[in-house]
Amino acid sequence: MTANTVVGVPAETAGGERRVALVPKVVERLLAKNLSVVVEPGAGAAALIPDDAYVHSGATLGDPWSADVVVKVAVPTDAEVAKLRAGAVFVGFLAPLTQPGKADALRAAGVTAFAMESIPRISRAQSMDALSSQANVAGYRAALLAAEHLTRFFPMLTTAAGTVPPAKVLVLGVGVAGLQALATARRLGAHTTGYDVRPEVADQVRSVGAQWLDLGIEATGSGGYARALTDDEREEQQRQLARAITGFDAVITTAQVPGRTAPTLVTAEAVKGMRAGSVVVDLAGESGGNCELTSPGLVVVEHAVTIASPLNLPATMPEHASELYARNVAALLELFITADGAIALDFSDEVVAGACVTGQEA
């Protein structure tokens, strides 16, 4: 590709998707690298970013699909893949483990595609880690949802009518989303406890002021994720969790294994044992859910317990979610950019090679 590479930013078309792949501040950052940016009119509208803000930042309004590099948030539709020109670079979420056909379609279109969820989890790539940036948003929102649906106060209150004890919140799965949920729930005044099958995260749980629930089951996997449990481990985990969960007012679950159905952590029996008015917020709904009674995308009440399983929580806070995602995208693009603004893909770089799902090296 020649200098003055053009980066295209299309409007998101997925239902409920309010984020946009680049925000004006990040457009300015890319222009400083000798790139040009074309934004589809209205691309930022759902994130409350007017077209004028993009123009003021130096972008132009027009057709983004003919650009050298197209950046997106949601997985592109087949119709959107057809708009990409052969030889283009695509950057966005691609769900390569659950939607492998999308990579095949991009490959057939002659597009070199980079999946944001495939960024290697190494220290050098932290600024590009969109899974983590968006998980922070999801964890924050999950704690707010738990407080909203709970029929009791989160903080301890001392009033003339007496003292109300703080809510007890349990977070199952303490990756980025879980830690943020713990931290946010504690800021709201709740008494917080975290659980994970990876014992090495216990200190992280304590660092946000939460207690650690130790069930004696360990399942550390690769890439910072937990491995799938054996049948015996799963049975023992569910038995111990069912007993522990009954002592909490709100349970937030975030446990997922990439490319697999989410593990069941909260059984129907555990929900039945919870106090009436309690809440389960299940962030694993897109992969089946961590709660046996979850209805993905819905809020239901079972045994007088509210079970919420929101999908795509980051899209419900589009301003900061877009800003963080745009920084992730820019950090990745900067690996591709030469001093004169040309794109040079160096597949000897483990980040470039790891994120690429189509192309010569994928």
Side-chain angles (χ1 to χ4, degrees):
M1 295 179 182
T2 60
N4 200 33
T5 297
V6 178
V7 178
V9 185
E12 299 294 327
T13 58
E17 183 54 77
R18 297 183 59 193
R19 292 170 291 179
V20 63
L22 292 181
V23 299
K25 286 183 180 179
V26 174
V27 168
E28 294 175 359
R29 172 175 163 181
L30 294 179
L31 293 179
K33 300 289 185 179
N34 295 315
L35 298 177
S36 297
V37 178
V38 176
V39 179
E40 182 175 351
L48 306 180
I49 303 174
D51 289 342
D52 286 349
Y54 284 107
V55 173
H56 184 73
S57 71
T60 58
L61 302 179
D63 175 19
W65 295 102
S66 59
D68 301 306
V69 181
V70 174
V71 295
K72 238 183 135 284
V73 180
V75 178
T77 64
D78 290 342
E80 289 172 335
V81 170
K83 295 179 182 179
L84 293 164
R85 66 173 181 78
V89 171
F90 178 89
V91 175
F93 284 120
L94 286 171
L97 295 179
T98 56
Q99 298 185 44
K102 196 62 63 178
D104 293 339
L106 287 161
R107 186 178 296 108
V111 174
T112 301
F114 293 87
M116 292 302 289
E117 57 267 75
S118 296
I119 299 288
R121 306 200 89 173
I122 58 176
S123 58
R124 185 169 67 86
Q126 286 181 349
S127 62
M128 311 164 205
D129 188 354
L131 285 179
S132 291
S133 74
Q134 302 306 291
N136 262 309
V137 180
Y140 171 79
R141 295 289 288 177
L144 298 185
L145 280 174
E148 176 186 349
H149 288 293
L150 186 65
T151 60
R152 302 180 279 280
F153 285 114
F154 255 42
M156 182 179 75
L157 294 181
T158 302
T159 74
T163 299
V164 178
K168 294 180 179 179
V169 176
L170 173 64
V171 175
L172 303 178
V174 286
V176 175
L179 287 171
Q180 184 58 249
L182 284 170
T184 303
R186 188 168 188 269
R187 292 187 197 106
L188 292 173
H191 183 278
T192 53
T193 300
Y195 166 75
D196 200 289
V197 292
R198 300 166 298 158
E200 64 271 19
V201 303
D203 287 342
Q204 296 177 40
V205 168
R206 297 186 184 103
S207 74
V208 295
Q211 293 185 334
W212 172 250
L213 178 64
D214 186 0
L215 301 183
I217 299 170
E218 301 181 5
T220 301
S222 60
Y225 294 100
R227 65 166 172 82
L229 298 180
T230 65
D231 289 342
D232 288 344
E233 288 172 332
R234 187 181 305 107
E235 183 178 345
E236 178 63 13
Q237 180 192 58
Q238 290 178 351
R239 186 185 67 79
Q240 292 196 46
L241 281 176
R243 184 172 63 245
I245 284 169
T246 60
F248 291 89
D249 300 289
V251 177
I252 299 171
T253 70
T254 73
Q256 299 191 66
V257 179
R260 300 193 180 192
T261 300
T264 298
L265 302 179
V266 183
T267 63
E269 193 64 25
V271 172
K272 188 176 181 180
M274 295 178 76
R275 180 182 169 191
S278 297
V279 177
V280 175
V281 178
D282 188 346
L283 294 190
E286 291 183 7
S287 55
N290 296 138
C291 178
E292 192 173 7
L293 299 179
T294 284
S295 294
L298 300 177
V299 177
V300 299
V301 178
E302 299 284 353
H303 306 297
V305 173
T306 299
I307 303 168
S309 182
L311 304 179
N312 196 11
L313 266 183
T316 67
M317 205 169 78
E319 182 178 348
H320 277 150
S322 297
E323 183 177 327
L324 294 171
Y325 182 75
R327 292 176 187 172
N328 298 143
V329 169
L332 179 61
L333 291 181
E334 285 168 356
L335 285 184
F336 306 163
I337 301 167
T338 64
D340 61 358
I343 295 292
L345 301 176
D346 178 9
F347 288 102
S348 67
D349 186 306
E350 64 179 315
V351 176
V352 176
C356 185
V357 295
T358 72
Q360 205 169 22
E361 303 296 324

